[in-house]
Amino acid sequence: MPNKAAAVENLFRPKMMIQILSKKSESIRPCWNCQSDNVAFYNCGSCTSIQQFLHDTDYFTLFNIGYKLSVDPDVLEKQYYELSRRFHPDYYQQRSKAEQDISLENTALLNTAYQTLQDPLKKTAYLLRLIEGDEALPTQAPAELFEEIFEIQENLETLRDLVPSDTDSRTELAKTLCSAAKEMTQFQAEENAQLKALFLKWDALETQRRDNGFSAAQKELLTKMKQILSHAGYLERILQDIKTALQ
Amino acid sequence: MAYSDKVIDHYSNPRNMGSLDKKDKDVGTGIVGAPECGDVMKLQLKISGGVIEDARFKTFGCGSAIASSSLATEWVKGKTIDEAFQIKNTEIVNELNLPPVKIHCSVLAEDAIKAAISDYKKKNEA
């Protein structure tokens, strides 16, 4: 009765998507233990064995939040606990080795998924990869930012090379670096705020989406998100470097 | 995996570290970065009659990124623009024995050479 299994599977998957994944969707499997088609939410309806996640289960689907980016952290947390309870290795101690292994694997995936979905930047990068493939992430260097980063890095180098007795230069440089850090922190905050605004716009369009393709408006939002992502790594790194140098 | 001897050599004795005058018409500047790790690399070429006379780099990043750019400056010197443009990151990987996780450092160096040449061409178009 594969149709029944498919129906159960669809309860777990948001209705609108699947095809947006670049990967091929794995077919519905019967229970690995008793071969029954009656697989309900990752436990077999017949023998109750735990079922492994399908290989193409993405994090959004796993948390059943659609491809939405501004999901309430409380909702996410609640869902995380809910899923943890289903798969937690503690509950499978009395079960077979095979079930214990699946429970461990599912839990590991669940944890990674939660960490990704909690972090705005990681979540954005993940969605981009999902939709556009591994090549989606930006490699283009933001020229304006680089000028500033080089200047800061050169100041950091000078600071490292100073003789310890030269306290005047040290104070002067530290001051320059502090104000640079402030500026970068502000830039980072602005970008984070922008990203949040993009999330809201994305979710509004995602709610309206009826077919499998993304609209031009959504693609435009993805491009803007990419741009923010292209800065994020450098900002984080330079702020970390300044912090380490001034400690 | 430990760094190879060649990486360590370039890292501890970087060749051609420094800057050239960015405003000089004969100087092409390529600035590239790796968004995942935040490494940044600046590579400058002084070009005369289609031949690269001098090269300088400044890299703020890991040992492999520094070694890749140091090696790149060594290689491009004396080459024509076209020859330099042909340098592939895989050649850098082979020369420095870079492990798979550090391949992106060699890509960075290749991109930097190309960016510097493009910058030079753009400057001299007009």
Side-chain angles (χ1 to χ4, degrees), chain A:
Chain A
M1 284 180 293
N3 283 342
K4 192 175 172 192
V8 173
E9 193 68 32
N10 281 337
L11 282 180
F12 186 60
R13 288 176 180 279
K15 284 186 197 94
M16 51 196 177
M17 35 64 66
I18 299 185
Q19 284 89 339
I20 78 145
L21 297 172
S22 48
K23 291 167 285 184
K24 247 192 283 167
S25 192
E26 216 177 308
S27 55
I28 308 302
R29 304 162 304 185
C31 172
W32 58 273
N33 189 37
C34 72
Q35 308 305 320
S36 160
D37 282 331
N38 183 20
V39 174
F41 200 83
Y42 294 89
N43 282 94
C44 176
S46 303
C47 73
T48 75
S49 295
I50 186 172
Q51 306 293 310
Q52 202 167 18
F53 290 136
L54 293 172
H55 286 305
D56 64 357
T57 302
D58 67 72
Y59 302 164
F60 295 96
T61 308
L62 179 60
F63 274 74
N64 201 14
I65 53 174
Y67 291 96
K68 299 278 181 65
L69 290 168
S70 50
V71 174
D72 186 345
D74 291 342
V75 172
L76 215 57
E77 192 188 45
K78 215 178 138 213
Q79 185 74 329
Y80 172 64
Y81 287 140
E82 172 78 30
L83 290 165
S84 294
R85 267 195 293 278
R86 286 180 190 273
F87 303 120
H88 202 283
D90 282 359
Y91 299 123
Y92 291 89
Q93 277 177 0
Q94 308 300 322
R95 303 286 205 124
S96 69
K97 173 82 171 62
E99 281 201 82
Q100 285 178 16
D101 287 350
I102 294 176
S103 132
L104 262 179
E105 271 171 43
N106 283 7
T107 300
L109 187 100
L110 182 65
N111 288 340
T112 315
Y114 187 46
Q115 278 162 18
T116 307
L117 294 177
Q118 270 181 312
D119 181 320
L121 294 170
K122 280 189 194 157
K123 174 165 66 179
T124 311
Y126 183 76
L127 183 72
L128 276 165
R129 277 214 182 91
L130 213 54
I131 295 173
E132 298 182 2
D134 281 344
E135 301 298 306
L137 296 188
T139 48
Q140 276 284 312
E144 346 69 70
L145 186 62
F146 271 28
E147 298 272 333
E148 245 176 308
I149 284 179
F150 264 94
E151 201 185 305
I152 296 171
Q153 286 290 9
E154 270 158 18
N155 280 332
L156 286 172
E157 209 173 44
T158 317
L159 185 72
R160 277 192 289 270
D161 293 344
L162 280 181
V163 285
S165 56
D166 193 354
T167 48
D168 283 355
S169 305
R170 178 169 296 273
T171 315
E172 192 60 34
L173 261 178
K175 232 164 107 187
T176 312
L177 285 167
C178 263
S179 71
K182 230 186 215 164
E183 200 182 309
M184 289 287 162
T185 310
Q186 200 191 335
F187 184 46
Q188 197 181 37
E190 280 165 18
E191 297 247 288
N192 286 342
Q194 259 184 50
L195 192 61
K196 270 200 182 133
L198 290 173
F199 283 178
L200 289 173
K201 283 185 194 162
W202 170 270
D203 286 1
L205 292 172
E206 191 59 20
T207 312
Q208 292 166 14
R209 191 156 71 89
R210 289 288 168 268
D211 55 10
N212 295 318
F214 291 100
S215 62
Q218 276 182 299
K219 296 226 167 98
E220 202 175 302
L221 290 176
L222 287 178
T223 308
K224 285 182 182 162
M225 288 181 208
K226 255 189 236 181
Q227 195 156 12
I228 292 177
L229 270 190
S230 78
H231 296 163
Y234 301 112
L235 285 173
E236 204 170 299
R237 168 76 177 273
I238 196 73
L239 284 168
Q240 189 58 48
D241 284 355
I242 297 174
K243 205 174 143 196
T244 314
L246 294 181
Q247 261 166 8

